[in-house]
Amino acid sequence: MKYLVLKSITFLMGMFLICFIANGQTMLDSTALGNLSEKDKPVLLTQLAERSRINGDYKAAIQKAQLSATLALKFKNLTEAVKAYTIQTSVYATTKEFVLSKKASDTTLLLAQQSKQPVTMAYAYYAQALFYNAIDNSEQITKYCRLALKSLEKVSDPYLSAKIYYQLYMLNSRWDDIKNVNKYARAATQNALKTTDYNLLSNCYIALSVAADYNYASTKNGVFRDSIIYYLNKAQNLYQQYPKYVARKTYGIACINSADYYLRYFADTDKEAKNNAILYASMANEVMKGAINGEEIRASSLGILSEYARRDKNLVMAEGYLQEAYHVMISQKVPYYYTLINVVTALSNFYEQNGNYGKALEFQKKATEYGNKLFDEKRTLNAQKLEVQYEAEKKNSEVKLLKQSEKYAQQQKYLYIGIAIASLLGLIFMFRSYHFRLRYSLQREKQLHLEKQDAELQMKFEKEEQARLKAEQLLLESQQQQLQKEVMASQLQLEHKKEMLFQIKEKLSDNHQLNINKIWNEELLLDNDFEEAKFQIQQVHPDFFSLLNQRAQQKLTALDLKLCAYLHLKMDTKKIAQLMHIEAKSVRMSRYRVKQKLGLDKEEDLNLFLRNMA
């Protein structure tokens, strides 16, 4: 089972840690609102909205942020209004409401431009980065983070600086850029230490532990390995000291990463490491019970506990942990399919290793089902992201064009004024009429030139827009074709597993003394070959099998089609015989039979024919 640990768990934090508490100050209780005037309420409402967002109460966060923005605008406090809209941008991005997130981020930019304050502009740029992070536009994330940092050169705001550097750390961790991961994690921590936001500081310590893990993986220097647990302990200590100001989810992430540290870097025989791993995994599971959106962390902790139970050969307990993880994940209102697939796959492998092939097949089917749902979910989200990104780029282009039009209009205005003056002077000074007529002619020519430039610019814009739309359509079609290929490859592997289980069942019925370990080891060797075949089959043209059936007039069986796929991948007779569990002689007979069904002459090469089919 793949656990949500270290690098991967930081992505879970991506949308969890992308907003702010106003000016990095400690949040107050909501009862204090009654003691404040309406003019002073926006600051506290923004803090309370952030508290609700961190705790996963997104509805309350939106309500408080909207009220804060309304009051702030009423009293012309544009900076506080921008902060409130930034929280809305964050929440809508987390809940995948991309249109609303874009609208909120654009509002922050509009208000900040009215304010003209550097810190307000920095928050507005940060909100833009949050939106583009939601739709996975790395170029725009980098652009707006740099603009925000440039604005902060004029004013000191360590809290916002820490947030921006953390966003850049998250972006570079996606690319496994070790140098920048270390650079931005340190910068985020240095700024967070200047604030009183202990939840932000705790997350920065976790970022430093991830950077240390990258460093150890690349250098194998023991100092970096020790740094991993050092920074995770600092994050945990903050929760112990300030439980009201460090989110349970942040603490749970630190605990599950510590458990994984002992699982990955210490031998099975190290009892102290084992006890520490079990302790941290149990702590993560316990602290996330009842927490909003804590199911992934709980499932990860139960997975680690199951692994140690399996090592102790306590199969009942190992199964119990995995089953509990499965029930935790399916209890979600909207399942997190990545983790759910990992859990059911772990259950399938567990039952397969212990000879319960019926259960193994049942959970393998669930893995396929959840995989299909994940595919549908990703396809829908990608379509939404493309649409929002297209609208965003279209709006940006319209704004640029509007500014250019305004510039031309201003030039035309000045030109008309000049023409009017020239005409007036021509009436007054008739004796200089020729001079002023010439001037008028030159100015008129300049006006026509500007209008021509305007028309050419409009035409160029329309051509670029058409080219971009065509490119986006081709990209979407390419992604759909690739996904179809991956589904075809997964179906072929599932069919292979079904055949293997059926053959083991037949062998068991004929011989009760059958050596299961020997068969299992042989099947592992065949699985390695099959994984290679699966990778290659993903490259097969989607119409390959339909074209074969048309040529053979639907006479080909499923085994005939599988044989054709293997021959197309240039596998020799011996390897095909192993994969299909038949004799080499049977493979040659099947080749002859397929040639007949395809209507090929004796002299024609079946392998060459199949390769030419694609």
Side-chain angles (χ1 to χ4, degrees):
M1 176 179 179
K2 297 179 181 178
Y3 311 114
L4 298 174
V5 291
L6 290 174
K7 177 188 171 186
S8 56
I9 202 72
T10 61
F11 289 112
L12 215 156
M13 295 159 56
M15 301 310 296
F16 171 65
L17 181 70
I18 54 177
C19 217
F20 56 89
I21 302 170
N23 297 323
Q25 301 298 317
T26 304
M27 291 185 291
L28 304 175
D29 192 88
S30 58
T31 55
L33 274 174
N35 301 324
L36 296 175
S37 64
E38 281 197 345
K39 186 176 182 180
D40 296 328
K41 283 182 179 180
V43 175
L44 181 56
L45 282 168
T46 301
Q47 296 173 359
L48 293 174
E50 174 64 4
R51 173 187 287 177
S52 298
R53 189 196 66 80
I54 287 177
N55 292 326
D57 191 352
Y58 299 131
K59 182 178 180 181
I62 288 294
Q63 291 175 345
K64 292 169 184 174
Q66 288 175 341
L67 180 56
S68 173
T70 301
L71 290 174
L73 291 173
K74 179 180 179 181
F75 294 101
K76 302 187 184 310
N77 188 345
L78 298 182
T79 299
E80 206 59 42
V82 166
K83 293 178 181 180
Y85 276 111
T86 302
I87 292 180
Q88 295 180 51
T89 302
S90 171
V91 173
Y92 289 135
T94 304
T95 56
K96 297 180 176 57
E97 297 179 78
F98 303 122
V99 174
L100 293 176
S101 181
K102 175 59 177 171
K103 183 178 179 181
S105 65
D106 286 345
T107 302
T108 64
L109 201 56
L110 181 63
L111 294 174
Q113 288 170 345
Q114 295 176 17
S115 172
K116 298 180 181 180
Q117 296 295 322
V119 68
T120 309
M121 288 301 303
Y123 276 109
Y125 289 140
Y126 179 61
Q128 290 290 323
L130 296 183
F131 164 71
Y132 283 110
N133 181 69
I135 63 173
D136 303 322
N137 190 325
S138 302
E139 181 180 352
Q140 294 295 326
I141 297 172
T142 304
K143 169 188 171 182
Y144 282 108
C145 282
R146 288 176 177 173
L147 286 172
L149 290 172
K150 187 175 181 180
S151 295
L152 289 177
E153 292 175 355
K154 305 174 184 177
V155 61
S156 176
D157 191 331
Y159 186 85
L160 181 56
S161 296
K163 287 292 186 180
I164 296 168
Y165 283 123
Y166 190 91
Q167 187 70 35
L168 289 170
Y169 149 78
M170 290 290 302
L171 179 62
N172 283 274
S173 64
R174 296 180 191 173
W175 304 332
D176 294 332
D177 188 331
I178 300 176
K179 180 180 178 181
N180 282 331
V181 164
N182 280 272
K183 172 184 174 182
Y184 293 123
R186 286 195 299 269
T189 306
Q190 290 168 0
N191 282 276
L193 285 168
K194 299 176 184 178
T195 73
T196 56
D197 189 323
Y198 302 113
N199 187 68
L200 170 62
L201 181 58
S202 182
N203 279 292
C204 289
Y205 282 140
I206 294 175
L208 286 175
S209 75
V210 174
D213 189 46
Y214 272 113
N215 296 336
Y216 178 69
S218 63
T219 65
K220 301 302 178 185
N221 187 331
V223 173
F224 292 125
R225 191 187 73 170
D226 295 339
S227 296
I228 299 173
I229 200 67
Y230 170 76
Y231 288 119
L232 289 173
N233 285 338
K234 289 180 76 71
Q236 293 158 8
N237 290 338
L238 282 175
Y239 178 80
Q240 301 296 339
Q241 295 174 12
Y242 309 102
K244 292 183 179 180
Y245 305 112
V246 178
R248 291 163 62 186
K249 195 167 189 177
T250 305
Y251 178 63
I253 290 171
C255 289
I256 196 65
N257 282 3
S258 296
D260 176 72
Y261 165 81
Y262 289 107
L263 177 67
R264 288 192 297 135
Y265 291 125
F266 292 87
D268 297 355
T269 56
D270 192 327
K271 293 184 178 180
E272 183 179 356
K274 170 187 173 182
N275 292 335
N276 285 332
I278 292 176
L279 173 64
Y280 283 117
S282 300
M283 289 165 61
N285 183 40
E286 190 63 30
V287 76
M288 297 312 297
K289 285 183 178 178
I292 300 175
N293 299 324
E295 291 82 2
E296 291 82 16
I297 297 177
R298 287 196 63 198
S300 296
S301 65
L302 291 167
I304 292 177
L305 293 172
S306 173
E307 174 62 19
Y308 278 105
R310 184 192 65 78
R311 292 181 181 182
D312 292 338
K313 301 188 184 307
N314 190 337
L315 300 183
V316 174
M317 186 175 290
E319 179 186 8
Y321 283 132
L322 288 177
Q323 285 286 358
E324 184 178 355
Y326 174 64
H327 289 296
V328 165
M329 291 306 301
I330 63 176
S331 67
Q332 288 180 296
K333 187 174 181 180
V334 179
Y336 188 74
Y337 288 114
Y338 282 108
T339 306
L340 186 55
I341 291 171
N342 289 336
V343 171
V344 296
T345 301
L347 280 165
S348 177
N349 293 336
F350 173 83
Y351 287 122
E352 186 175 8
Q353 291 168 5
N354 291 280
N356 191 340
Y357 299 112
K359 284 277 190 179
L361 182 59
E362 175 186 346
F363 281 101
Q364 182 60 40
K365 288 181 178 179
K366 289 182 181 292
T368 302
E369 176 188 349
Y370 295 137
N372 292 334
K373 290 182 178 179
L374 175 61
F375 166 75
D376 293 338
E377 183 181 77
K378 288 176 64 178
R379 182 174 58 183
T380 301
L381 285 176
N382 286 337
Q384 291 177 1
K385 289 177 181 179
L386 285 172
E387 183 179 355
V388 171
Q389 186 163 348
Y390 164 71
E391 291 296 333
E393 292 177 358
K394 180 181 178 182
K395 185 174 181 180
N396 292 337
S397 298
E398 289 175 349
V399 169
K400 290 180 181 178
L401 186 60
L402 182 60
K403 289 181 179 179
Q404 291 176 346
S405 299
E406 290 176 351
K407 181 179 179 180
Y408 294 147
Q410 188 77 4
Q411 291 176 343
Q412 287 179 340
K413 179 180 178 182
Y414 293 145
L415 181 61
Y416 292 144
I417 292 174
I419 293 172
I421 293 173
S423 300
L424 181 62
L425 291 175
L427 293 173
I428 297 174
F429 304 100
M430 293 296 295
F431 64 94
R432 300 185 64 184
S433 61
Y434 173 77
H435 171 73
F436 287 106
R437 286 176 184 175
L438 180 61
R439 181 180 177 184
Y440 175 81
S441 177
L442 291 174
Q443 289 176 337
R444 183 62 179 173
E445 183 179 354
K446 182 179 179 181
Q447 178 187 356
L448 293 174
H449 180 66
L450 289 174
E451 291 176 350
K452 181 180 178 181
Q453 285 184 334
D454 189 24
E456 290 175 350
L457 183 63
Q458 180 67 26
M459 184 178 299
K460 181 179 178 181
F461 171 77
E462 291 176 355
K463 289 181 179 179
E464 290 177 350
E465 185 71 11
Q466 291 174 356
R468 188 178 61 79
L469 288 173
K470 184 176 180 181
E472 287 180 351
Q473 182 179 3
L474 292 174
L475 176 60
L476 185 58
E477 291 174 356
S478 175
Q479 290 175 343
Q480 290 175 342
Q481 290 176 0
Q482 182 62 29
L483 290 172
Q484 289 173 354
K485 294 175 185 178
E486 292 176 359
V487 170
M488 180 181 70
S490 297
Q491 289 175 345
L492 186 56
Q493 185 180 22
L494 181 59
E495 181 183 350
H496 173 75
K497 289 296 183 183
K498 287 180 179 178
E499 289 180 4
M500 185 270 289
L501 291 172
F502 180 77
Q503 290 175 11
I504 290 177
K505 179 179 178 182
E506 289 184 341
K507 290 179 180 179
L508 285 173
S509 63
D510 296 335
N511 182 3
H512 298 286
Q513 303 300 323
L514 186 63
N515 190 333
I516 295 298
N517 289 329
K518 179 179 179 182
I519 293 176
W520 175 248
N521 290 331
E522 292 175 351
E523 186 59 30
L524 284 178
L525 292 175
L526 293 178
D527 273 348
N528 292 332
D529 290 336
F530 189 80
E531 286 299 322
E532 180 183 356
K534 174 185 173 182
F535 175 78
Q536 296 179 24
I537 288 172
Q538 287 180 330
Q539 308 306 315
V540 176
H541 194 280
D543 296 328
F544 180 76
F545 293 116
S546 61
L547 291 174
L548 280 176
N549 273 319
Q550 289 177 10
R551 176 63 184 259
Q553 298 181 354
Q554 307 297 326
K555 294 178 182 179
L556 294 177
T557 65
L559 290 176
D560 292 336
L561 292 173
K562 185 184 293 186
L563 174 61
C564 290
Y566 290 145
L567 290 174
H568 175 70
L569 296 176
K570 299 182 181 180
M571 293 185 181
D572 57 30
T573 301
K574 183 178 178 181
K575 182 174 287 189
I576 294 174
Q578 289 179 330
L579 290 172
M580 298 181 70
H581 297 285
I582 60 177
E583 295 294 332
K585 180 180 178 181
S586 299
V587 174
R588 289 190 288 270
M589 292 178 65
S590 297
R591 287 166 58 99
Y592 178 75
R593 185 169 55 253
V594 168
K595 284 185 65 175
Q596 287 183 324
K597 291 181 178 181
L598 291 172
L600 300 178
D601 296 332
K602 293 181 179 180
E603 293 76 18
E604 290 189 71
D605 188 342
L606 178 59
N607 291 12
L608 181 60
F609 172 79
L610 292 174
R611 285 196 293 272
N612 291 335
M613 284 295 293

